[in-house]
């Protein structure tokens, strides 16, 4: 079956994601994104798939939907809405100690946080994920990429003190 905004359908090589064109964000005359995604972007109320998974109490499925939807929002230049969904997915994966889920959501969430200038928070997210998945190469790579931001933040803090 197909639902809004996206659904998984079988194809020759496995699952593929299809996006309903009515749910893709568009720019209005002022150049801002229209609000047609906001109901689905809300981690508590949005998306038919997520509401169904909440009803079924499928937390792992919820985390997957929230992560996928957050990634879609980020790709459509809606980082603030993406962060809300990605943080919700990250929280579920953390609570479930889902190492694979954290490996997927952490880089996307960190990229969204960097886009909004929240590098310090991105570093904290990596550190939280590494507590659950200490040797995860993907998360360690993201953490290493954020290290230059740590030294910049420390330098700024030192300048404030002086």
């Amino acid at each position: 079956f197909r639902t809004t905004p996206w659904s998984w359908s079988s194809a020759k090589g496995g699952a593929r994601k299809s996006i309903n064109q009515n749910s893709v964000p568009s720019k209005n005359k002022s150049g801002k994104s229209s609000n047609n995604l906001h109901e689905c972007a809300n981690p508590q109320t949005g998306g038919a798939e997520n509401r169904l998974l909440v009803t079924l109490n499928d937390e792992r499925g919820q985390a997957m939907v929230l992560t996928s939807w957050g990634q879609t929002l980020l790709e459509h230049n809606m980082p603030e809405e993406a962060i809300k969904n990605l943080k919700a997915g990250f929280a579920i994966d953390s609570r479930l100690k889902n190492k694979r889920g954290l490996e997927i959501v952490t880089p996307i969430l960190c990229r969204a946080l960097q886009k909004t200038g929240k590098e310090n928070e991105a570093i904290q997210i990596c550190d939280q994920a590494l507590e659950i998945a200490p040797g995860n190469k993907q998360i360690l790579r993201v953490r290493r990429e954020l290290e230059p931001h740590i030294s910049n933040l420390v330098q700024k803090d030192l300048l404030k003190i002086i």
Side-chain angles (χ1 to χ4, degrees), residues 43 70 73-74 78-89 108-109 111-118 121:
L73 290 167
L74 186 60
M78 300 174 73
E80 293 297 333
E81 292 87 353
I83 289 170
K84 292 174 190 172
N85 285 272
L86 293 165
K87 280 184 175 182
I108 303 166
L109 177 54
R111 188 171 70 239
L113 289 167
Q114 276 187 290
K115 251 187 167 180
T116 59
K118 300 175 184 172
E121 190 175 348

Side-chain angles (χ1 to χ4, degrees), residues 67-135:
T67 299
S68 295
W69 188 240
Q71 183 174 15
T72 301
L73 290 167
L74 186 60
E75 289 169 359
H76 289 287
N77 202 27
M78 300 174 73
E80 293 297 333
E81 292 87 353
I83 289 170
K84 292 174 190 172
N85 285 272
L86 293 165
K87 280 184 175 182
F90 182 87
I92 293 169
D93 283 332
S94 294
R95 188 174 59 251
L96 296 176
K97 307 276 190 240
N98 180 1
K99 293 177 184 180
R100 178 67 179 137
L102 289 171
E103 179 180 26
I104 294 168
V105 72
T106 302
I108 303 166
L109 177 54
C110 288
R111 188 171 70 239
L113 289 167
Q114 276 187 290
K115 251 187 167 180
T116 59
K118 300 175 184 172
E119 289 87 1
N120 205 18
E121 190 175 348
I123 292 164
Q124 292 172 351
I125 290 291
C126 280
D127 290 343
Q128 289 174 23
L130 287 169
E131 286 177 16
I132 296 167

